[in-house]
């Protein structure tokens, strides 16, 4: 058969190998598209597990480890990869000296990828591979960014984004992340230079700290960590700002940027997140100030002003930041317990922080308040909160408490370490916080695997559980007879 004008082949004349490749790619795309449409939560878990697997493989290479030594043990490579992608910050090795430039580059990129969120990254990859998102995936992507929520009645343009705009919103999330990190990075350079580092090292440390802070990871590129900047209020304030913004969540940041002059136009989610976050931030700082003011190993040796500032710094880091200027093992038991509670709550929904999220805690308090008043429904800021949000909040809390309890029992059995230290590190792993009493670094390989699983379930578990419950809601055309058990 003759070729078409211009030298082009007819479709039937294409080489067999090219047609087979096209057919194979089309099959993969259809399979991915089907999974995205039918089970986006499962797809998100697979994507996140795949990212951890790739990062583990890269960190296991001899080129990833500094010095002329053998490759990184599997337990350490897997733990570090999970901590990186889950933006946790717990470590089993010295991050400042253990990794080569290649290994640090892998970790640096992994922190940014992990910081964009489980479902956000899965939606982006699904959009690239399948070239389109199914309706359910778009809804869950919108839920993860909190850009669209189901409301009774009409939804304002400020409260929701059209489904067709989710792809653009995800790109905006990525660009906003890089923009915020760049501003923090530029602001940190003078402080690092002031410590005597050369310009190249200062640029690297500043970039690393900016990404680690905004993604709420908590990795340190320098041997001393934030302690080296203990008297630099500018540097510590930038770290606090980055962690605070990262823990608020992109929906809140967007709302503040668009309508910061008119708070009355903020959605209930924005108001609940800001109110609960600020309340916990102040309460945490005051609790640490009162409990640790006479502890000579932590704040007891400082003046009131320095102690107050450091208490607010530590309260900020419990949001999921993971940086510390004091040794967590030196805290009183009461302070460890307060920090446990703050870490378990974590930051805002659709943020780089972990935990059960501040809005979950807010919904539980609103439910308790409504029950105490005998009110028929939960209300906040002149709006009624649907009762299904309470079911979702209770499910998330129970899921988190179960993970923490099981992991704590296993780690205590493996290490025979004090319960308060084990509980602290396990909650830090679940809430992807990164603060540690030093227990994690001394774990045997089996303990590292347990903590890695805790980080993974803490990062993807609550989000995918919420997505799965939301997707599983169905109408029932009948009601069973009602009977009340005794409660309380």
């Amino acid at each position: 058969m003759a070729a078409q004008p211009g030298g082009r082949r007819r479709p039937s004349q294409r080489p067999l190998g090219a047609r087979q490749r096209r057919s194979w790619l089309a099959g993969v795309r259809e399979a991915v598209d089907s999974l995205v449409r039918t089970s986006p939560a499962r797809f998100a878990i697979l994507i996140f597990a795949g990212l951890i697997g790739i990062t583990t493989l890269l960190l296991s290479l001899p080129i990833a480890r500094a010095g002329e030594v053998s490759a990184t043990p599997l337990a350490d490579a897997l733990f570090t990869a999970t901590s990186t992608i889950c933006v946790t910050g717990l470590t089993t090795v010295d991050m400042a000296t253990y990794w080569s430039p290649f290994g640090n580059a892998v970790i640096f990129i992994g922190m940014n990828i992990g910081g964009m969120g489980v479902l956000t990254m899965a939606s982006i990859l699904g959009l690239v591979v399948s070239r389109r998102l199914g309706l359910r995936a778009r809804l869950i992507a919108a839920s993860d960014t909190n850009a669209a929520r189901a409301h009774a009645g009409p939804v304002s343009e400020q409260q929701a984004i059209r489904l067709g705009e989710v792809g653009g919103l995800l790109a905006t999330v990525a660009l906003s992340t890089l923009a915020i990190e760049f501003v923090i990075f530029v602001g940190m350079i003078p402080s690092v230079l002031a410590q005597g580092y050369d310009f190249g090292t200062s640029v690297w440390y500043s970039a690393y700290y900016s990404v680690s802070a905004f993604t709420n990871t908590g990795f340190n590129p320098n041997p001393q960590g934030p302690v080296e900047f203990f008297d630099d209020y500018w540097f510590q304030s930038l770290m606090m700002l980055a962690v605070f913004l990262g823990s608020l969540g992109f929906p809140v940041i967007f709302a503040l940027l668009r309508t910061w002059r008119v708070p009355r136009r903020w959605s209930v989610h924005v108001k609940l997140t800001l109110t609960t976050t600020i309340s916990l931030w102040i309460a945490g700082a005051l609790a640490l100030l009162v409990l640790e003011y006479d502890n000579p190993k932590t704040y007891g040796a400082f003046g009131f002003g320095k102690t107050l500032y450091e208490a607010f710094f530590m309260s900020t880091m419990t949001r999921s930041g993971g940086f510390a200027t004091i040794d967590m093992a030196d805290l009183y038991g009461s302070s460890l317990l307060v920090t446990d509670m703050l870490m378990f709550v974590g930051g805002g929904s659709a943020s780089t922080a972990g935990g059960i999220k501040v809005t979950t805690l807010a919904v539980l308090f609103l439910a308790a308040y409504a029950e105490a008043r005998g009110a028929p429904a939960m209300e906040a800021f002149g709006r009624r909160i649907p009762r299904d949000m309470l079911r979702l909040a209770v499910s998330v809390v129970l899921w988190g408490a179960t993970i923490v309890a099981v992991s704590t029992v296993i780690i205590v059995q493996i290490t025979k370490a004090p319960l308060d230290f084990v509980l602290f590190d396990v909650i830090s792993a679940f809430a992807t916080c990164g603060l540690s009493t030093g227990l994690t670094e001394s774990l045997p390989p089996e303990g590292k695997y347990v903590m890695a699983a805790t980080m993974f379930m803490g990062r993807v578990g609550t989000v995918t559980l919420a997505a799965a419950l939301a997707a599983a809601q169905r109408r029932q055309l009948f009601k069973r007879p009602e009977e009340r058990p005794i409660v309380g």
Side-chain angles (χ1 to χ4, degrees):
M1 185 176 294
Q4 291 182 343
R8 296 180 181 176
R9 294 176 179 266
R10 296 178 185 272
S12 60
Q13 295 293 97
R14 287 175 180 163
L16 180 61
R19 280 183 288 167
Q20 289 177 338
R21 285 194 298 271
R22 283 179 173 273
S23 176
W24 181 80
L25 290 174
V28 172
R29 185 176 295 115
E30 285 297 323
V32 172
D33 184 61
S34 175
L35 181 60
V36 171
R37 284 186 285 104
T38 57
S39 183
R42 187 181 304 169
F43 178 70
I45 293 176
L46 291 177
I47 289 297
F48 227 58
L51 290 172
I52 292 174
I54 294 173
T55 307
T56 301
L57 177 62
L58 293 174
L59 293 179
S60 298
L61 299 175
I63 192 178
R65 187 169 176 179
E68 298 180 0
V69 290
S70 60
T72 303
L74 177 60
D76 292 322
L78 175 63
F79 188 96
T80 304
T82 307
S83 187
T84 299
I85 299 299
C86 294
V87 290
T88 303
L90 287 174
T91 64
T92 57
V93 298
D94 186 353
M95 298 297 291
T97 59
Y98 191 88
W99 304 107
S100 67
F102 174 82
N104 279 316
V106 171
I107 293 169
F108 184 83
I109 296 172
M111 287 191 295
N112 265 312
I113 293 176
M116 293 181 187
V118 184
L119 299 180
T120 301
M121 179 54 60
S123 298
I124 292 175
L125 294 177
L127 185 63
V128 171
V129 174
S130 66
R131 296 183 180 178
R132 63 190 179 92
L133 283 172
L135 175 61
R136 187 179 298 178
R138 288 177 181 268
L139 285 170
I140 291 184
S143 176
D144 185 55
T145 56
N146 232 20
R149 285 188 177 275
H151 289 273
V155 181
S156 67
E157 187 174 355
Q158 287 75 22
Q159 293 173 323
I161 293 179
R162 298 183 184 90
L163 296 180
E165 298 174 353
V166 172
L169 177 63
L170 299 181
T172 304
V173 167
L175 292 175
S176 300
T177 298
L178 298 177
I180 294 174
E181 290 174 353
F182 180 77
V183 173
I184 300 297
F185 152 70
V186 172
M188 286 180 167
I189 292 178
S191 291
V192 183
L193 285 171
Q195 294 297 322
Y197 293 104
D198 59 73
F199 183 76
T201 303
S202 298
V203 169
W204 165 241
Y205 282 2
S206 299
Y208 196 105
Y209 264 118
S210 66
V211 172
S212 186
F214 180 73
T215 60
N216 280 214
T217 305
F219 284 152
N220 306 314
N222 57 319
Q224 297 183 45
V227 176
E228 188 169 2
F229 305 94
F230 187 70
D231 295 321
D232 190 333
Y233 291 99
W234 170 254
F235 188 88
Q236 289 193 60
S237 296
L238 286 176
M239 292 175 65
M240 292 169 63
L241 176 62
V243 169
F244 185 78
L245 290 176
S247 68
L248 283 180
F250 295 109
V252 178
I253 294 176
F254 290 151
L256 294 178
L257 290 176
R258 290 196 305 264
T259 58
W260 63 275
R261 293 184 178 180
V262 280
R264 59 183 176 80
R265 298 176 61 185
W266 294 347
S267 67
V268 171
H269 170 76
V270 174
K271 294 178 180 178
L272 280 179
T273 300
L274 290 175
T275 301
T276 311
T277 297
I278 294 175
S279 298
L280 290 176
W281 180 54
I282 296 175
L286 294 179
L288 290 172
L289 177 66
V290 171
L291 296 174
E292 292 292 319
Y293 80 97
D294 63 344
N295 187 345
K297 296 182 179 180
T298 56
Y299 301 145
F302 309 138
F304 177 78
K306 179 64 174 177
T307 300
L308 180 63
Y309 182 87
E310 293 301 327
F312 274 101
F313 179 85
M314 184 51 60
S315 182
T316 304
M317 295 308 147
T318 60
R319 299 269 68 76
S320 192
F323 296 106
T325 55
I326 58 175
D327 190 342
M328 294 293 100
D330 291 336
L331 291 174
Y332 289 145
S334 55
S335 301
L336 286 174
L337 184 57
V338 168
T339 309
D340 287 343
M341 293 186 288
L342 293 174
M343 290 191 300
F344 186 75
V345 175
S349 299
S351 73
T352 56
I356 62 171
K357 303 300 189 297
V358 293
T359 44
T360 302
L361 179 67
V363 168
L364 294 177
F365 271 106
L366 289 173
Y369 182 65
E371 190 66 26
R373 292 172 51 225
M378 298 178 291
E379 295 180 354
F381 304 104
R383 294 290 187 271
R384 180 174 57 85
I385 309 295
R387 293 191 65 85
D388 59 345
M389 298 304 297
L390 175 59
R391 288 171 36 196
L392 191 58
V394 171
S395 299
V396 169
V397 173
L398 287 178
W399 170 263
T402 301
I403 293 175
V404 169
V406 172
S407 298
T408 300
V409 170
I410 296 175
I411 296 296
V412 168
Q413 181 64 24
I414 292 174
T415 63
K416 303 299 189 295
L419 176 61
D420 53 351
F421 281 16
V422 173
L423 182 62
F424 186 96
D425 278 38
V426 167
I427 292 179
S428 181
F430 164 78
T432 67
C433 180
L435 295 174
S436 175
T437 60
L439 172 73
T440 301
E441 297 179 4
S442 61
L443 287 175
E446 57 271 24
K448 296 175 183 177
Y449 291 129
V450 172
M451 291 290 276
T454 303
M455 290 188 288
F456 182 80
M457 289 187 291
R459 179 61 177 171
V460 306
T462 54
V463 179
T464 52
L465 174 66
L469 290 176
Q473 290 182 359
R474 58 187 177 87
R475 297 183 60 187
Q476 188 167 302
L477 301 180
F478 64 92
K479 291 185 178 181
R480 300 188 184 277
E482 186 178 88
E483 185 173 347
R484 294 179 177 270
I486 300 175
V487 176

